[in-house]
Amino acid sequence: ISNALDTTSKLRGVSFTKDSNYSEIGMIAEEVVEIVPEVVTLNKEGLPDGIEYSRIVSLLVESIKELKNNFLI
C-alpha cells in the first residue's frame, strides 16, 4: 500500500449520537469513499452506505511501518 501514512492522515474520526440514544465513534462513509473506496459499502443506488472497518487494518499497519521508518532515519 503506497503512501499509507498520507492516506491515513486524510481520514477523519468523528463521534456522534445515533438515534438520540447512544454515542458512537467512527468515520463518515461519504468522506471515506473519496479517500479509500475499497473499504466502503454501497447501497442499491450506488451511494456510500457503510464502512468495513476491518479492511482499514492493513492501511494502518503500513502507516505504522512508515512512521517507524521515518523515525529511524
Side-chain angles (χ1 to χ4, degrees):
I1 301 174
S2 60
N3 300 315
L5 186 57
D6 288 334
T7 302
T8 301
S9 296
K10 294 176 186 173
L11 297 172
R12 182 175 72 99
V14 297
S15 61
F16 55 93
T17 302
K18 190 171 184 176
D19 301 326
S20 300
N21 293 326
Y22 56 94
S23 294
E24 290 276 345
I25 59 171
M27 293 181 273
I28 307 299
E30 290 82 1
E31 294 176 2
V32 175
V33 74
E34 299 295 326
I35 302 163
V36 192
E38 301 89 345
V39 304
V40 176
T41 58
L42 305 176
N43 63 19
K44 291 178 183 179
E45 292 80 30
L47 300 172
D49 188 49
I51 299 170
E52 294 182 36
Y53 289 97
S54 62
R55 298 187 69 195
I56 296 175
V57 172
S58 57
L59 178 65
L60 298 177
V61 167
E62 294 305 312
S63 294
I64 292 168
K65 288 179 183 179
E66 285 184 35
L67 281 173
K68 182 179 175 185
N69 288 337
N70 289 344
F71 281 114
L72 294 176
I73 294 176

